[in-house]
Amino acid sequence: MGYSRLKNGPSLCCLLYGFSTASAAFSKHSSPLSSQSFKHRPDSASSKRSPQYTSAENTTVWVIQDTYEGQSFFDTFVFYTGTDPTNGMVTFVDQQTAFSSSLAYVTSDNKVIMKGDNTTWLSAGVNRSSVRISSQATYNTGLFVLDLDMAPWGCGVWPAFWTLGNGTWPWNGEIDIIEGVHDNEHNQVTWHTAPGCNLTSTTNFTGTLVQTNGVDNLQCNAFINNNAGCGVTEWSRASYGPYFDSQGGGVFAMKWDTNGIAVWSFYRAAIPQDIIQGLPNPSNWGEPVAELAPSSCNITEYFVDHSIVFDITFCGDWAGNSYATSGCPGTCADILMDPSNFVNASWIINSLKVYKSATLLGGSSDAVSRHSVHDLRILWIAAVVATLQTLLCSL
């Protein structure tokens, strides 16, 4: 076999030369991505840049791995029908029931809708129907970018967008990216883990540490503090609740790699252009709102094989226990009976995209930003062909 390769080398070399020349011509004349003007987050941190994505030798970029959107959104999710582990007054319905009762569907303009039942009057003590789904795919690191018009809120409502490690909880970790209760205005990012993973308070992020009895929750250990985990509350009123929805929603992004787990949020008018273009570059986004650094937590040990989860529950351990101080009327059990209280308990999702990291040898972030993902693939193929050409022509 080795002999035949040597024998056919020169003619293959010529073919490769022609292909590499054509590829180079394509990449040279391909159009750059269209430019759009977007207002960036009004935060002094947005001017800061992290050097971790570029070097004289190579560039790390995030390339698309999975896209969840439109009519096919639910094809790769599983509907959870078990008991709510947070003791909510909720019944999670199966896929057929969710579709037939319009608790889950996709609109004609490809908006993904998931919601709690907002049409049925209930007797006292009866659970309200809702939806919880988990992705069939599991992930170990990645960049997760959720674009949504609305996240659920309202008295007694407790929604979450999170990732959950397979196996016995909490040994493979839990990452709560969007979570809140009632009509709060500030999103909370939280990590729940086995003992030994801790939040580093000196890490640069813009949010505020969640406390228990006046003490910062730095231990992510799910077995203490009534499973409070280690959490960070976002500073922005546009990160959760009615104000977030009134601004047309926005984007939440979670970067999970060996450098840590960080979360950003952007309301609609402040979404970075690189996200719009499908070439996300977290080093351009300034300080995250929350970050779990590897200095006090072994990321690859505590977060393993995560599925993506969306849910909407009612009352329960957080929304139920905090109801008396929420400013909402009556009790959580009472308010659960009237469907009109849940008209805002809906997810409206444009897309969820998961990216994986890739390294471009000898590249730069500026060069990457001038090419679409398709162009980058052509450049990569051309580089491989050029290498083969050099090897074969030298024979």
Side-chain angles (χ1 to χ4, degrees), residues 259-308:
N259 295 312
I261 301 174
V263 173
W264 291 260
S265 68
F266 309 96
Y267 55 87
R268 182 64 57 191
I271 300 173
Q273 189 172 2
D274 53 51
I275 291 179
I276 299 295
Q277 293 176 332
L279 294 169
N281 185 355
S283 65
N284 289 334
W285 301 345
E287 290 182 356
V289 298
E291 182 169 10
L292 181 64
S295 56
S296 298
C297 181
N298 186 326
I299 301 299
T300 57
E301 175 185 349
Y302 284 92
F303 300 92
V304 181
D305 294 337
H306 277 218
S307 296
I308 300 166

Side-chain angles (χ1 to χ4, degrees), residues 123-363:
S123 299
V126 176
N127 289 349
R128 184 162 293 279
S129 296
S130 188
V131 172
R132 170 174 164 171
I133 61 172
S134 301
S135 65
Q136 296 174 12
T138 59
Y139 301 91
N140 289 280
T141 72
L143 178 63
F144 302 75
V145 180
L146 174 67
D147 184 318
L148 71 166
D149 289 347
M150 179 177 185
W153 59 276
C155 289
V157 179
W158 177 7
F161 163 56
W162 46 303
T163 67
L164 176 66
N166 289 333
T168 303
W169 182 90
W171 298 100
N172 286 333
E174 173 184 330
I175 308 168
D176 300 322
I177 305 165
I178 302 177
E179 189 174 23
V181 291
H182 311 307
D183 54 358
N184 290 358
E185 295 183 331
H186 303 276
N187 180 50
Q188 182 170 308
V189 179
T190 311
W191 297 270
H192 303 268
T193 69
C197 173
N198 300 311
L199 188 63
T200 306
S201 61
T202 55
T203 304
N204 291 327
F205 51 80
T206 63
T208 303
L209 291 169
V210 176
Q211 296 184 335
T212 297
N213 298 323
V215 179
D216 292 341
N217 291 346
L218 298 180
Q219 296 186 64
C220 306
N221 183 357
F223 299 108
I224 63 174
N225 295 329
N226 295 315
N227 182 30
C230 54
V232 175
T233 302
E234 293 201 40
W235 62 270
S236 173
R237 291 179 58 235
S239 62
Y240 181 83
Y243 190 70
F244 173 77
D245 295 339
S246 71
Q247 299 299 304
V251 162
F252 285 80
M254 186 265 285
K255 180 179 72 69
W256 165 21
D257 58 19
T258 56
N259 295 312
I261 301 174
V263 173
W264 291 260
S265 68
F266 309 96
Y267 55 87
R268 182 64 57 191
I271 300 173
Q273 189 172 2
D274 53 51
I275 291 179
I276 299 295
Q277 293 176 332
L279 294 169
N281 185 355
S283 65
N284 289 334
W285 301 345
E287 290 182 356
V289 298
E291 182 169 10
L292 181 64
S295 56
S296 298
C297 181
N298 186 326
I299 301 299
T300 57
E301 175 185 349
Y302 284 92
F303 300 92
V304 181
D305 294 337
H306 277 218
S307 296
I308 300 166
V309 184
F310 290 90
D311 70 29
I312 310 169
T313 191
F314 308 111
C315 301
D317 293 340
W318 187 2
N321 291 337
S322 64
Y323 194 87
T325 58
S326 67
C328 293
T331 67
C332 203
D334 290 340
I335 204 168
L336 193 72
M337 294 187 288
D338 184 351
S340 66
N341 293 319
F342 302 97
V343 294
N344 294 307
S346 299
W347 293 102
I348 304 178
I349 298 168
N350 296 311
S351 67
L352 168 61
K353 297 181 180 181
V354 182
Y355 297 82
K356 59 183 178 181
S357 62
T359 300
L360 297 180
L361 299 179

Side-chain angles (χ1 to χ4, degrees), residues 19 23-24 26-33 58-64 274 277-281 355-385:
F19 182 84
S23 299
F26 177 87
S27 63
K28 180 178 179 181
H29 295 288
S30 58
S31 300
L33 291 167
N58 55 66
T59 298
T60 299
V61 296
W62 293 94
V63 296
I64 194 69
D274 53 51
Q277 293 176 332
L279 294 169
N281 185 355
Y355 297 82
K356 59 183 178 181
S357 62
T359 300
L360 297 180
L361 299 179
S364 71
S365 58
D366 290 338
V368 170
S369 65
R370 290 195 297 269
H371 294 278
S372 67
V373 172
H374 180 70
D375 291 344
L376 289 174
R377 289 172 180 164
I378 293 297
L379 290 171
W380 180 83
I381 292 171
V384 172
V385 170

